[in-house]
Amino acid sequence: MSSQNAQKSSRLAVTGVIVFYLVAALAMVMANKWVLNVTEAPLFFLFTQLVIAVILFLISDAFRLLPDRLTLSLDVCKGLIPMISLNVIGLSFSNYTLKYVDASFYQVARGLVLPFTVCTSFFFLHSRPSLRILVSCSVVTLGFFIGVFLDGTSISLVGVLFGVASSAITALHSVVIKQSLNVVNGSALLLSWYTNAISAIVLAPIVILAGEGPGIAKLFFGIDELVREDGAMSALGTFLWGSAITGTLGFLMSIASLLSIKVTSPITHMVSSAVRGVAASLLGMWLFRDVITSGRASSIAVILLGSFYYTWVKHQETQNTNSTSGRGSYERVKMEDVEKGQHNRKEAKPE
């Protein structure tokens, strides 16, 4: 009886985490697009999101709501320089991507995350991908080019370039995250705290250097931005509400990542990501009147097909690795860790 209750509780936990991530991630994308449509200061918007998340971290820590006490060590900050740098650049490029492309095209613009991740694993971790992994990456790349060249509607080349750059930064981010976790003694919560806090500090002068001062002044003091004759929400109101929503969701997703690591598997994450991508396209069509052409729909379908195939291949390779080493269960490990382990075993074999 207790075993049945435990299984039911486990299923509920998995379902709860998946549903939360789907809703939160979709809300993040839609709220970001909602704000970016009315502001000329995407970096200041990102800075505001980070500040809100930091404030919520501090409040939670003050009321002892977090499993780990928040600290701020100069040595830890120095050890997280690569992580913070990639985080700031990646989030900035991601915001610029969403500013210049439709919400329904966002998944296509950032569709090269998987191929870039495999490439960075090869160059930085010296792991040689299998033929089936290369096939899956080729399918995903094909889907990206279908979306860019056969979309049938006018798309922003700048937005696509930002999407490609954002994908490359995300792939590099996956390589340095293990080293960053070691710096904070394996605490994902502390890593999230340092990432948000230091990223906000680093981003503050970049906002000014990027020339967003006039856009910020227009947002807060421009008469046209504060008053709308058609009765719609002003640009400032949209910015403040959007910042509050996305900042809070970003904080909650940081907290929920602790539970996600424990109760979800890579396949579960891939399925939820696929559902999220399709839902984002549909919501973009409904909320922002985006046009879903046959080329765009085909692009998303091909990218999802390649991603699903990649996840299945990695699952099979991990199972084979576990059976070879005498373990019967599937371990929830990161892609780069699996590939690094495979590489180390190859080097250890006698010639």
Side-chain angles (χ1 to χ4, degrees), residues 82 86 113 115-129 167-179 335-337 339-341 343-344 347:
L86 291 175
V113 172
F116 278 136
T117 301
V118 173
C119 289
T120 53
S121 296
F122 175 75
F123 285 107
F124 292 96
L125 301 178
H126 308 291
S127 61
R128 181 175 298 176
S167 301
I169 296 299
T170 300
L172 289 171
H173 187 273
S174 68
V175 173
V176 304
I177 192 169
K178 181 179 179 181
Q179 175 189 359
M335 182 201 71
E336 60 268 21
D337 294 340
E339 293 179 341
K340 187 175 182 180
H343 174 71
N344 290 339
E347 289 185 335

Side-chain angles (χ1 to χ4, degrees), residues 44-169:
F44 179 68
F45 177 45
L46 175 59
F47 170 76
T48 306
Q49 292 174 315
L50 293 172
V51 169
I52 291 174
V54 168
I55 292 174
L56 292 175
F57 266 111
L58 293 174
I59 293 174
S60 300
D61 183 62
F63 286 95
R64 306 293 193 271
L65 300 178
L66 304 176
D68 299 322
R69 295 307 308 275
L70 300 183
T71 59
L72 199 59
S73 167
L74 182 60
D75 291 334
V76 173
C77 293
K78 291 180 179 178
L80 294 178
I81 288 177
M83 175 82 170
I84 301 300
S85 302
L86 291 175
N87 186 66
V88 171
I89 298 173
L91 289 177
S92 301
F93 283 3
S94 180
N95 263 20
Y96 276 116
T97 303
L98 194 55
K99 179 174 178 59
Y100 288 108
V101 303
D102 296 339
S104 60
F105 191 77
Y106 181 68
Q107 181 184 1
V108 177
R110 297 189 74 251
L112 293 180
V113 172
L114 176 59
F116 278 136
T117 301
V118 173
C119 289
T120 53
S121 296
F122 175 75
F123 285 107
F124 292 96
L125 301 178
H126 308 291
S127 61
R128 181 175 298 176
S130 65
L131 178 60
R132 293 190 298 175
I133 291 296
L134 293 178
V135 170
S136 67
C137 291
S138 300
V139 173
V140 170
T141 305
L142 174 63
F144 169 79
F145 283 113
I146 289 175
V148 172
F149 294 107
L150 301 179
D151 182 67
T153 60
S154 177
I155 60 175
S156 170
L157 178 61
V158 174
V160 173
L161 292 177
F162 273 121
V164 173
S166 175
S167 301
I169 296 299

Side-chain angles (χ1 to χ4, degrees), residues 102-111 139-148 150-151 270 273-285 290-308:
D102 296 339
S104 60
F105 191 77
Y106 181 68
Q107 181 184 1
V108 177
R110 297 189 74 251
V139 173
V140 170
T141 305
L142 174 63
F144 169 79
F145 283 113
I146 289 175
V148 172
L150 301 179
D151 182 67
M270 186 64 247
S273 297
V275 173
R276 183 181 65 199
V278 174
S281 298
L282 296 177
L283 283 174
M285 180 176 60
D290 293 350
V291 178
I292 306 296
T293 63
S294 58
R296 184 170 301 186
S298 300
S299 172
I300 294 173
V302 173
I303 290 175
L304 292 179
L305 177 64
S307 301
F308 273 125

